Amino acid sequence: MASKSRFVVGSHVWVEDSDEAWMDGLVEEVNGEELVVNCTSGKKVTVNVSNAYPKDTESPRGGVEDMTRLAYLHEPGVLQNLKSRFMLNEIYTYTGNILIAVNPFQRLPHLYNNDMMRIYKGAEFGELSPHPYAITDRAYRLMINDRVSQAILVSGESGAGKTESTKSLMQYLAFMGGKQQAEGRSVQEQILESNPVLEAFGNAKTVRNNNSSRFGKFVEIQFDQNGKISGAAIRTYLLERSRVCQISDPERNYHCFYMLCAGPPEVCEKYKLGEAKSFHYLNQSNCIELNGMDDAKEYAETRRAMGIVGMSSDEQDAIFKVVAAILHLGNVEFSEGSEPDSSAPKDEKSQFHLKTAAELFMCDAQGLEESLCKRVMATRGESITKNLDPKAAALSRDALSRIVYSRLFDWLVNKINSSIGQDPESKILIGVLDIYGFESFKTNSFEQFCINLTNEKLQQHFNQHVFKMEQEEYTKEEIDWSYIQFVDNQEILDLIEKKPGGIIALLDETCMLRNSTHETFAEKLYQKFKDNPHFSKPKFSRSDFTVHHYAGNVTYQTDLFLDKNIDYAVNEHQVLLNASQCSFVSSLFPPVEESAKSTKFTSIGSSFKQQLQSLLETLSATEPHYIRCIKPNNVLKPAIFENSNVLQQLRCGGVLEAIRISCLGYPTRRTFYEFVNRFGILQPKVLSKSHDEITASKMLLEKANLVGYQIGKTKVFLRAGQMAELDALRTEVLGISAKKIQTKVRSFMSRKKYVQMRICATQLEAVCRGTLARRYYENLRRQAAALKIQTRYRMRQERNKYRDLWSASTTIQSGLRGMAARNKLRFFRKTKAAVIIQSQCRCHLARSRYVRLMKATIKTQCAWRGKMARRELRQLKMAAKETGALQAAKSKLEKEVEELTWRLQLEKRIRSDMEEAKTQEIKKLQSQLQESQQQVKDTEESLKREQEIAKAASEKAALVPEIRVDATLVNELTADNEKLKTLVTSLETKIQETELRFEETDKLREEWLKKATDAESQINELKNTMQSLREKFNSVEAENNVLRQQALKARHDNVPVLNMHRKSNLANGSLPGDEQTPHGTPMEFGRRSLIERQQESVETLINCVVENIGFSDGKPVAAVTIYKCLLHWRTFEAERTNVFDRLIQIFSSAMQKQDSNADLAYWLSNSSSLLIILQKSLKPAGSGITTPLKRTTTQTSFLGRMVFRASSITVDMDLVRQVEGKYPAFLFKQQLTAFVEGLYGMIRDNVKREVSSVLSLVIQVTPSITSPQAPRTAKAGLITDQDSYWKAIVNHLNDLLKILQENCVPAIFARKIFSQIFAFINAQLFNSLLVRRECCSFSNGEYVKQGLEELEAWCTQAKPEYAGSAWDELKHISQAVGFLVIFKKFRISYDEIISDLCPMLSVQQLYRICTQYWDDKYNTESVSEEVLNEMKTLVNDASGQANSENTYLLDEETSMPLSLDEIASSMDAKEFQNVVPPQELLENAAFQFLKS
């Protein structure tokens, strides 16, 4: 067929567009070789047929994972597929075995974690979604299986994500090949931590990327025979040294400079650093800080990583000292010196920075200055010192900074390699190449030239690899490919690196000539390559040249080519830094030979070419794998896809070149099934079962009259354009079929409409007649009803009137009666109130009269009594004049003073032991003192009154005749008065002293009280100690008595005593030394006999329970028997015993049978039952809980308790009772708990392994594929008997349930085991939907839903007692499957999905399912674009949060989700009461206590 027949009217095509690169549209007219296309943007364009490409309208909305499965493999198809996947956050896509990674410019933490690594581990390549882990796993598996070294090449332009992709590769290799080391850091950890170190010193911000690697890196990871990492080596290429001294806005210098300036204050002070913007090498750009990057934090992280990779603290300090010296060196400015054409530091600031740099380099400051400002020219017989002008001095300064930084970076790489170490015995390795991509800027210098040379060489290697893969594919399918020609870029490589005559050779030649300039170099290039088709000269430039690379034309500026190609250290710099007192700095500049001190240079271009050749030789010896990184936009923001930018990167990355190579052969390949399924409509008879797929494919191709195609073993291979021709035929056939269908449908619809109209007319007539009849009948009914209504209405009116009249009469009557009753009540209340008022008034009048009489009586009595008192007072006053009255008062006071003194002395005697009496006495003394004071006061007042009376009497006596008075008596009275005054004063003094003594006594009393309290507490402690000693003494005495009785009994019965050797560690505890007799006394032999009997009892018990002795009353016999024996022997209360160790050995040996679920279940039943009993029985010592069995003595040793129990005492009591356990008992309980957890985990993991093997088959089951959306590893054809897998899972569950029931495992363990198994099934199935696109289909949803129904039926059959809430663990997969089998998903809103359909799923999980979904059965669509965009917005917002989840995959619980309290509360102690002990023990005389 002619190519013009590829397009017909209505065909969907791609046409070129200046803005969007490619635009889709619909063909409206076909005019020969011209097509009129109506684009989706609204434009209408006319294009040539050769410039239009067919569009696949059946491609899925989310694109395909492998672009080799595209119906049309061309530029617009590849671009559209990448864009579709990128907008769904699917950033990885395959092109055959090549991985294309599009930088999302946002965090996608769910793609990179240990869960994802475990999923991709061992998975077949292409089985899961595209990912760097898949590439790395494939390389690792090929290395292990074929014992061939591998290489992974990561390329892309700056900002495309090469560094992050390399990190993920190395993390996966560390995950697969990592091994633990006993001491120090592991090799894989050092490899991973080398990335931050190299990024700090080799990465910088560029216009296109905030963390651009300015060097190439090839990491060789070596593996041993077991596939474990054993060593590594890092090679670096072409560090951009010019960036140290010169940067453009808005770029930054290397990260380490900014980290050091943002370091801790003590570091900045140590190196005399300030802010970053104060240094010349850093402030050439306005960009000092980066958003989202904390330089101070990065500094600490870098120091930590340097320590991990083996750099000591001194080496780290030396490294940053050199970095600081470079910064200070950059701040040294120069001015004209005193001599002509000389230079010197410009000012004091420059002098300061020069001295600081010298101090940091630990070299001579004057020597450093001379090395920068002067140059020594070596001649044949002498050396000449030449001064440098300021400009040349500045260039010398920058040259020193560059060479120092370059040597420092090389030292770092060598140090990392030496620290990690290489394995000389390793034969296999995986190399990871992280190297710069193709670069083309406005100004392209020597660095871009070398970078593009690297990409040309790698592109040649890449093309050869792609062509090799094509050959392998053709050979595998056994088709002829000999005529396919391979065209590579060898001519361009010859142009650059050919010797002699290449660009690099001419550059070296020009550099060796003195006085050569870049213009001289350019003229040589113009003359040499004027006829070369891959070289051209720009029209308006005198020194630029253009090379036609595979990725496009690049124009290079030769201004700095010569300077940047020269690589030698200035001899003065070399000598100066070699003499540095810092060993680190001097090691960077080792001494050179005399011959090397000449001005002969080393070509950087040639050195780089040799490194590149070595790299390619290494790559040629390995099996390569490619990752091409793409930067979707230049603004470095998410969700922006610039078509032109991406298309250019696809060209630069060689992806389009690979497509071109593929198009030279057979770009379209379809399996026979897919081909027949797509184009079977061209000849329907091939769809019958009489033709196989190969025959059907040949018939279809012959029908289409195609030539040049090939039929392989499993695929049809079509030449470029033939797919479009087949689609054109298919479209034509579909159009004709559509017309036929439309004709038949229109005829059918017209007849159907006529029949419906006829039926409707007949029905309408019948309805009309019926309506008229019903209306007549309705009128008759209305008339009859009207008469009845009128009758009823009139009757109701009259009745209402009567009711109203009756109601009014009744209301009036009730109102009148009520008013009369209220009036009567009001009269009664008034009458009662009047009576009350009258009685109260009369009462008040009578009381008032009584009160007045009482007041008058009292007043009269008071007046009379006052008169009598005044009369008596006068009589007393007269009597007081006598001397006897004064003497009596004096003697009375003396007696009272003596009494007070005596009582005070008495108080001093009894205050120590009579506290309460002292208090009462003190109060009594105080009251008596107050009374004495009052009496003294009364006496003084009486004396004063007497003196006044005497004075008044003397005045009256002056009026009467003089009476003779005895002077002696008067003098005596005066003297007595003076004595009384003195006595009163002394009493007051004594009272004050008494108060002071009382206070002191009070203080002494408090001290004595405190001492008495302490003494009482000590007495109580001594009493308690004595009580415990008495109890111990009684216990020992009782034990001795028992032993004596046993010895006497043995002697009387003539029982032979065996002479036994003493045992150092008795099972029931060692005996005290004072109880052991030195000779063979009966006591010693009796004790030995008891020990032997006790050991025999323990051995008998162990031998019995070590076997499976079954169950009794649904409970394990062994557990109950062990508890009864331990309780009877009182082992729980023993301080020392080895019985618990023997029991632990039984459980340990039982755990060795890991594969037998029956044995594990038996011991789980016994251990858990025993644990339940112990949890209910054991209580800590001192908890106050006592055993209900009362004894007169307490046995403290295990032997004593066994002897005591061996007596004839038997008590009926409950099986489980609380006892105070000692340390061995609680230790045994802890060990038993660990065994229960271990047995539980073993049973669960065994069932998981069994179910997992079946689940892997369930996940791989994929129904028939009828859509091109199917993943590339999907299997054609429906697997028969799919239900057998689910039945196998159910059988495993039934087997486990049967084992648990037969071994009487507590139901709580069964519920938890099944819940965790169902959670495991849920996680496996749900995760398969998220990571395997073939599982996220409509038919697979139906299949899994059918299996879930069987699991639900099993849960119902197993009953909640054992199944518990196991079905609830399948909520994730059940909701996801329910969503998959919905037909009209595009009608469902987001709110309905999260609230009704899938409330358990997160938005990340829903988004993943919606983007992965494809319908292989009914061709239904996924959710609408609006819902998908809303989900994507929420996913992006969640990814940007720091506390967001790192994965959308489900984790499975591995621990035992039960506590001791839950286990103990699951069963009642009374359930163990009726367990029958084993008959073997019941027949033994030593175990007769089991019968009770």
Short mmCIF file of all heavy atoms in Angstrom, two decimals, residues 311-344:
data_model
loop_
_atom_site.label_atom_id
_atom_site.label_comp_id
_atom_site.label_asym_id
_atom_site.label_seq_id
_atom_site.Cartn_x
_atom_site.Cartn_y
_atom_site.Cartn_z
N MET A 311 37.06 9.30 58.26
CA MET A 311 37.91 10.47 58.43
C MET A 311 37.94 10.85 59.90
O MET A 311 36.88 11.05 60.52
CB MET A 311 37.38 11.65 57.59
CG MET A 311 37.37 11.38 56.11
SD MET A 311 36.78 12.79 55.16
CE MET A 311 36.56 12.04 53.54
N SER A 312 39.13 10.99 60.45
CA SER A 312 39.27 11.33 61.85
C SER A 312 38.90 12.78 62.09
O SER A 312 38.77 13.59 61.15
CB SER A 312 40.70 11.08 62.32
OG SER A 312 41.60 11.94 61.63
N SER A 313 38.77 13.13 63.36
CA SER A 313 38.42 14.51 63.71
C SER A 313 39.51 15.48 63.27
O SER A 313 39.22 16.58 62.79
CB SER A 313 38.18 14.60 65.22
OG SER A 313 37.87 15.93 65.59
N ASP A 314 40.78 15.08 63.40
CA ASP A 314 41.88 15.96 62.97
C ASP A 314 41.85 16.15 61.46
O ASP A 314 42.09 17.27 60.96
CB ASP A 314 43.22 15.35 63.40
CG ASP A 314 43.37 15.33 64.91
OD1 ASP A 314 42.67 16.13 65.58
OD2 ASP A 314 44.15 14.51 65.42
N GLU A 315 41.56 15.09 60.74
CA GLU A 315 41.48 15.23 59.28
C GLU A 315 40.31 16.11 58.87
O GLU A 315 40.44 16.92 57.93
CB GLU A 315 41.34 13.84 58.65
CG GLU A 315 42.61 13.01 58.74
CD GLU A 315 42.40 11.60 58.22
OE1 GLU A 315 41.25 11.13 58.22
OE2 GLU A 315 43.39 10.98 57.79
N GLN A 316 39.20 16.00 59.56
CA GLN A 316 38.07 16.87 59.25
C GLN A 316 38.41 18.33 59.50
O GLN A 316 38.09 19.22 58.69
CB GLN A 316 36.84 16.45 60.07
CG GLN A 316 36.32 15.07 59.75
CD GLN A 316 35.15 14.67 60.62
OE1 GLN A 316 34.35 15.53 61.01
NE2 GLN A 316 35.05 13.39 60.96
N ASP A 317 39.05 18.59 60.63
CA ASP A 317 39.46 19.97 60.92
C ASP A 317 40.43 20.48 59.86
O ASP A 317 40.33 21.64 59.42
CB ASP A 317 40.11 20.04 62.31
CG ASP A 317 39.12 19.77 63.43
OD1 ASP A 317 37.90 19.96 63.18
OD2 ASP A 317 39.54 19.39 64.53
N ALA A 318 41.36 19.64 59.43
CA ALA A 318 42.31 20.06 58.40
C ALA A 318 41.60 20.35 57.08
O ALA A 318 41.95 21.31 56.37
CB ALA A 318 43.38 18.99 58.22
N ILE A 319 40.61 19.55 56.75
CA ILE A 319 39.87 19.76 55.50
C ILE A 319 39.17 21.12 55.52
O ILE A 319 39.28 21.92 54.58
CB ILE A 319 38.85 18.62 55.29
CG1 ILE A 319 39.59 17.33 54.98
CG2 ILE A 319 37.87 18.96 54.18
CD1 ILE A 319 38.70 16.10 55.01
N PHE A 320 38.45 21.40 56.59
CA PHE A 320 37.73 22.66 56.64
C PHE A 320 38.68 23.84 56.86
O PHE A 320 38.35 24.97 56.53
CB PHE A 320 36.66 22.60 57.74
CG PHE A 320 35.47 21.78 57.36
CD1 PHE A 320 35.28 20.50 57.87
CD2 PHE A 320 34.54 22.27 56.46
CE1 PHE A 320 34.20 19.74 57.51
CE2 PHE A 320 33.44 21.51 56.09
CZ PHE A 320 33.27 20.24 56.62
N LYS A 321 39.85 23.56 57.39
CA LYS A 321 40.85 24.63 57.50
C LYS A 321 41.31 25.04 56.10
O LYS A 321 41.47 26.23 55.81
CB LYS A 321 42.03 24.13 58.34
CG LYS A 321 43.08 25.22 58.62
CD LYS A 321 44.27 24.64 59.38
CE LYS A 321 43.86 24.18 60.76
NZ LYS A 321 45.03 23.73 61.56
N VAL A 322 41.48 24.07 55.22
CA VAL A 322 41.85 24.38 53.84
C VAL A 322 40.73 25.13 53.13
O VAL A 322 40.97 26.08 52.38
CB VAL A 322 42.21 23.08 53.09
CG1 VAL A 322 42.40 23.34 51.60
CG2 VAL A 322 43.46 22.46 53.68
N VAL A 323 39.47 24.70 53.37
CA VAL A 323 38.33 25.39 52.76
C VAL A 323 38.28 26.85 53.23
O VAL A 323 38.07 27.77 52.42
CB VAL A 323 37.02 24.65 53.10
CG1 VAL A 323 35.82 25.44 52.60
CG2 VAL A 323 37.02 23.26 52.50
N ALA A 324 38.49 27.07 54.53
CA ALA A 324 38.49 28.44 55.04
C ALA A 324 39.65 29.24 54.46
O ALA A 324 39.51 30.44 54.15
CB ALA A 324 38.57 28.41 56.57
N ALA A 325 40.80 28.61 54.27
CA ALA A 325 41.94 29.31 53.70
C ALA A 325 41.63 29.76 52.27
O ALA A 325 42.03 30.86 51.86
CB ALA A 325 43.16 28.39 53.72
N ILE A 326 40.93 28.94 51.51
CA ILE A 326 40.56 29.33 50.15
C ILE A 326 39.65 30.55 50.17
O ILE A 326 39.79 31.47 49.36
CB ILE A 326 39.89 28.14 49.43
CG1 ILE A 326 40.90 27.01 49.22
CG2 ILE A 326 39.30 28.57 48.10
CD1 ILE A 326 40.30 25.76 48.65
N LEU A 327 38.70 30.58 51.13
CA LEU A 327 37.81 31.75 51.23
C LEU A 327 38.61 33.01 51.55
O LEU A 327 38.39 34.08 50.96
CB LEU A 327 36.75 31.50 52.31
CG LEU A 327 35.67 30.47 51.96
CD1 LEU A 327 34.74 30.27 53.15
CD2 LEU A 327 34.86 30.91 50.75
N HIS A 328 39.51 32.91 52.51
CA HIS A 328 40.33 34.08 52.85
C HIS A 328 41.23 34.48 51.69
O HIS A 328 41.45 35.67 51.44
CB HIS A 328 41.17 33.78 54.09
CG HIS A 328 40.40 33.78 55.36
ND1 HIS A 328 39.86 34.92 55.93
CD2 HIS A 328 40.04 32.75 56.20
CE1 HIS A 328 39.24 34.61 57.05
NE2 HIS A 328 39.32 33.29 57.24
N LEU A 329 41.74 33.49 50.97
CA LEU A 329 42.60 33.79 49.82
C LEU A 329 41.84 34.58 48.76
O LEU A 329 42.41 35.47 48.11
CB LEU A 329 43.13 32.48 49.25
CG LEU A 329 44.41 32.55 48.39
CD1 LEU A 329 45.55 33.11 49.21
CD2 LEU A 329 44.75 31.17 47.86
N GLY A 330 40.57 34.28 48.59
CA GLY A 330 39.78 35.00 47.61
C GLY A 330 39.56 36.45 47.96
O GLY A 330 39.23 37.26 47.08
N ASN A 331 39.67 36.81 49.23
CA ASN A 331 39.46 38.20 49.65
C ASN A 331 40.73 39.04 49.57
O ASN A 331 40.73 40.20 49.96
CB ASN A 331 38.92 38.25 51.08
CG ASN A 331 37.43 38.04 51.12
OD1 ASN A 331 36.84 37.61 50.14
ND2 ASN A 331 36.81 38.33 52.24
N VAL A 332 41.83 38.47 49.11
CA VAL A 332 43.08 39.22 48.95
C VAL A 332 43.02 39.97 47.63
O VAL A 332 42.93 39.35 46.55
CB VAL A 332 44.30 38.27 48.99
CG1 VAL A 332 45.59 39.07 48.79
CG2 VAL A 332 44.34 37.51 50.31
N GLU A 333 43.05 41.31 47.70
CA GLU A 333 43.05 42.15 46.52
C GLU A 333 44.44 42.77 46.33
O GLU A 333 45.19 42.96 47.30
CB GLU A 333 41.99 43.26 46.64
CG GLU A 333 40.58 42.70 46.78
CD GLU A 333 39.55 43.82 46.90
OE1 GLU A 333 39.97 45.00 46.87
OE2 GLU A 333 38.36 43.50 47.04
N PHE A 334 44.76 43.09 45.08
CA PHE A 334 46.09 43.59 44.76
C PHE A 334 46.01 44.98 44.12
O PHE A 334 45.03 45.29 43.42
CB PHE A 334 46.82 42.63 43.81
CG PHE A 334 47.01 41.25 44.39
CD1 PHE A 334 46.10 40.23 44.13
CD2 PHE A 334 48.10 40.99 45.21
CE1 PHE A 334 46.27 38.98 44.67
CE2 PHE A 334 48.28 39.72 45.76
CZ PHE A 334 47.37 38.72 45.49
N SER A 335 47.06 45.77 44.35
CA SER A 335 47.21 47.10 43.73
C SER A 335 48.63 47.24 43.24
O SER A 335 49.48 46.36 43.43
CB SER A 335 46.86 48.19 44.76
OG SER A 335 47.74 48.13 45.88
N GLU A 336 48.90 48.37 42.57
CA GLU A 336 50.23 48.60 42.02
C GLU A 336 51.26 48.64 43.15
O GLU A 336 51.06 49.26 44.19
CB GLU A 336 50.26 49.91 41.24
CG GLU A 336 49.38 49.92 40.01
CD GLU A 336 49.94 49.02 38.91
OE1 GLU A 336 51.15 48.71 38.98
OE2 GLU A 336 49.17 48.62 38.02
N GLY A 337 52.41 47.99 42.91
CA GLY A 337 53.47 47.99 43.89
C GLY A 337 54.42 49.16 43.72
O GLY A 337 54.24 50.05 42.87
N SER A 338 55.47 49.16 44.50
CA SER A 338 56.45 50.25 44.44
C SER A 338 57.29 50.18 43.18
O SER A 338 57.76 51.21 42.67
CB SER A 338 57.34 50.23 45.69
OG SER A 338 58.00 48.96 45.78
N GLU A 339 57.52 49.00 42.62
CA GLU A 339 58.30 48.84 41.41
C GLU A 339 57.37 48.81 40.19
O GLU A 339 56.19 48.52 40.31
CB GLU A 339 59.11 47.54 41.49
CG GLU A 339 60.08 47.49 42.66
CD GLU A 339 60.83 46.18 42.70
OE1 GLU A 339 60.66 45.38 41.74
OE2 GLU A 339 61.59 45.95 43.66
N PRO A 340 57.91 49.06 39.02
CA PRO A 340 57.09 49.03 37.81
C PRO A 340 56.55 47.62 37.56
O PRO A 340 57.26 46.63 37.75
CB PRO A 340 58.05 49.48 36.70
CG PRO A 340 59.15 50.19 37.41
CD PRO A 340 59.29 49.55 38.75
N ASP A 341 55.31 47.55 37.11
CA ASP A 341 54.65 46.28 36.79
C ASP A 341 54.68 45.28 37.94
O ASP A 341 54.76 44.07 37.76
CB ASP A 341 55.28 45.63 35.55
CG ASP A 341 55.07 46.45 34.30
OD1 ASP A 341 54.06 47.18 34.26
OD2 ASP A 341 55.92 46.39 33.41
N SER A 342 54.68 45.81 39.17
CA SER A 342 54.63 44.94 40.35
C SER A 342 53.29 45.09 41.05
O SER A 342 52.49 45.96 40.70
CB SER A 342 55.78 45.28 41.31
OG SER A 342 55.62 46.59 41.83
N SER A 343 53.08 44.27 42.04
CA SER A 343 51.81 44.31 42.77
C SER A 343 52.07 43.99 44.23
O SER A 343 53.11 43.42 44.58
CB SER A 343 50.82 43.30 42.18
OG SER A 343 51.36 41.99 42.24
N ALA A 344 51.10 44.37 45.05
CA ALA A 344 51.16 44.14 46.49
C ALA A 344 49.74 44.11 47.03
O ALA A 344 48.80 44.60 46.38
CB ALA A 344 51.99 45.23 47.17
#
